[in-house]
Amino acid sequence: MSESSELAVRAAKLDAGDGLAGVRSRFVLDDVVYLDGNSLGALPAAVPGRVEDVVRRQWGELRIRSWDESGWWTAPERIGDLVAPLVGAAAGQIVVGDSTSVNVFKALVGAVRLARLGKPVASAASAASTASVASGRDEIVVDATTFPTDGYMAESAARLTGCTLRPVTPAEVPGVLGERTAAVLLNHVDYRSGRLHDLPGLTAAVHAAGAVAVWDLCHSAGALPVGLDEHGVDLAVGCTYKYLNGGPGSPAYLYVRADLQDRFDSPLPGWNSHAEPFGMRSDYEPATGALRGRVGTPDILSMLALEAALEVWDGVSIEAVRAKSLALTDFFLECVAAYVPSGRVESVTPVAHGERGSQIALRCDDAGDVMKRLIERGVVGDFRRPDVLRFGFTPLYVGFGDVERAARVLAEVL
């Protein structure tokens, strides 16, 4: 039996024993191998009918009554509670709305303001911080390898708060923390390489310095356990259109740890985050709880599409998703090593499970052209300049047969 036949047989056996295989039927799929769920998740089958109901009945018939009768007004926090277990958070700490970029800005400015209040976090080390030390916190540390918009927002937040911006790699973060550090913005998974960063360890280091930790979960939420509550993360943001399959431009979310909510001071206070939104008062009084993260009128159409999309998680544990993710990416690397000519591609994603997200990034000299040809042959990933082929593995609908086919087609294209 040839090596390709052996791997195909193994893939079939792995698919037959896959406990998540049945979840695939909850999505609208075709015969394309879709490995770009880390950019845009596939369409959950329940979404079209739900959106039609929102448009035709809730909007078309009930009209303004739907703010109360259809639950539009409470959607941001209600859907936030659906996201919460997927990132390891208790209810009442996440509000859905706005874009990731806007939420990064809110979180970072809010983090600096928390740090300057003193005692911003619950650890014993930070409890020793004094107001005089806190008032001198004038530096924001940001991941130098971050997705560009995080860097742009961090720079703007630094200007607004009078802080200096200090870009460093995540590995360098513990060594640069000090009494000047106000906030630290990090990505849980690097969008380009798929490297998983040490959220528990880095959060503890930030807290030991008396600063506030802000995490971007765009490439980890829905792909692996995050443990926001368990690890004492202060603030976190994330999108919902990747592994959460909320649809193009679906609203992002903001997590504010419960014990920080009464002190969280958003730089974007809007009528939706007012304690008395219909009081139309000229003075601003923030709402209690995570509602402080709201700003303006919610984007109802995309928000309720997201609510329907999250139904695919019924009965699915994030631990099972993580186990399959690691198995899929292991198998893909094995197939690539077996099929692709030696030296033609190089993986830039860590091999170690504890350092890998749910994607594999391969360096390839003519990556842009190679990805175009892969897509023409029914294998969809994406290209990141200058030379990276990026493949995202969404365990809810990607199978081992897909993985073997993708590696085989890649070898043929090369």
Side-chain angles (χ1 to χ4, degrees):
M1 185 181 293
S2 68
E3 191 167 30
S4 60
S5 298
E6 290 178 358
L7 288 171
V9 169
R10 275 186 57 203
K13 290 181 179 178
L14 288 167
D15 280 331
D18 176 16
L20 293 177
V23 181
R24 183 183 176 97
S25 65
R26 302 178 189 178
F27 292 86
V28 177
L29 299 167
D30 49 27
D31 62 352
V32 167
V33 176
Y34 190 65
L35 301 181
D36 208 7
N38 53 327
S39 286
L40 175 65
L43 172 65
V47 170
R50 187 68 55 81
V51 171
E52 182 177 13
D53 178 69
V54 173
V55 172
R56 292 188 181 277
R57 184 182 65 84
Q58 297 181 30
W59 179 14
E61 297 176 16
L62 296 177
R63 292 178 285 274
I64 201 166
R65 290 162 52 194
S66 279
W67 284 105
D68 292 321
E69 295 180 26
S70 300
W72 288 2
W73 183 256
T74 58
E77 58 267 31
R78 182 179 73 245
I79 301 171
D81 285 348
L82 296 178
V83 174
L86 302 179
V87 292
Q93 299 177 101
I94 293 179
V95 64
V96 171
D98 305 311
S99 67
T100 305
S101 302
V102 172
N103 282 315
V104 167
F105 182 75
K106 287 188 283 187
L108 263 185
V109 174
V112 172
R113 291 173 176 176
L114 280 169
R116 287 173 175 170
L117 287 174
K119 304 180 182 178
V121 290
S123 70
S126 65
S129 299
T130 63
S132 61
V133 171
S135 65
R137 295 191 180 274
D138 61 356
E139 186 173 84
I140 295 174
V141 175
V142 63
D143 181 354
T145 63
T146 188
F147 189 76
T149 196
D150 284 27
Y152 306 155
M153 289 296 170
E155 184 178 5
S156 179
R159 289 198 306 270
L160 179 67
T161 57
C163 285
T164 299
L165 191 64
R166 187 167 188 174
V168 299
T169 67
E172 295 171 324
V173 166
V176 303
L177 299 173
E179 292 185 350
R180 291 186 55 193
T181 311
V184 180
L185 172 63
L186 294 166
N187 286 268
H188 197 191
V189 173
D190 185 279
Y191 81 99
R192 185 182 287 106
S193 70
R195 176 179 290 276
L196 172 65
H197 296 302
D198 181 10
L199 182 147
L202 289 171
T203 299
V206 172
H207 287 176
V212 177
V214 181
W215 284 91
D216 183 330
L217 310 178
C218 284
H219 287 268
S220 59
L224 53 91
V226 177
L228 292 179
D229 287 353
E230 177 185 358
H231 303 302
V233 169
D234 305 303
L235 304 166
V237 303
C239 68
T240 60
Y241 49 78
K242 299 181 189 297
Y243 297 108
L244 297 182
N245 311 295
S250 57
Y253 56 89
L254 170 66
Y255 164 89
V256 182
R257 202 178 70 220
D259 62 304
L260 299 178
Q261 291 173 359
D262 63 344
R263 288 171 285 156
F264 178 70
D265 182 8
S266 172
L268 298 175
W271 79 286
N272 256 239
S273 63
H274 198 287
E276 191 182 349
F278 291 98
M280 304 304 169
R281 290 158 40 190
S282 59
D283 61 309
Y284 180 73
E285 179 187 350
T288 58
L291 295 183
R292 290 187 177 207
R294 293 176 65 155
V295 182
T297 305
D299 184 346
I300 291 299
L301 295 181
S302 61
M303 190 166 292
L304 296 188
L306 167 63
E307 185 172 32
L310 291 172
E311 291 177 1
V312 302
W313 289 91
D314 290 349
V316 176
S317 77
I318 196 66
E319 289 75 20
V321 167
R322 176 58 168 167
K324 183 178 176 182
S325 166
L326 292 172
L328 287 169
T329 47
D330 279 344
F331 190 56
F332 182 68
L333 289 172
E334 182 180 352
C335 291
V336 168
Y339 293 165
V340 175
S342 179
R344 191 65 177 85
V345 299
E346 174 195 1
S347 177
V348 297
T349 304
V351 174
H353 286 182
E355 299 177 6
R356 185 196 310 167
S358 197
Q359 73 179 58
I360 296 294
L362 302 177
R363 182 168 288 126
C364 177
D365 289 339
D366 46 352
D369 183 57
V370 169
M371 185 52 69
K372 287 179 182 177
R373 287 186 281 157
L374 282 172
I375 293 171
E376 289 170 358
R377 303 246 337 238
V379 175
V380 178
D382 64 20
F383 161 61
R384 286 292 178 265
R385 289 182 173 82
D387 58 358
V388 171
L389 300 169
R390 206 174 63 149
F391 301 96
F393 298 81
T394 304
L396 297 182
Y397 55 76
V398 172
F400 293 90
D402 297 323
V403 168
E404 189 274 336
R405 176 182 162 193
R408 178 164 32 84
V409 173
L410 174 61
E412 293 168 0
V413 164
L414 291 176

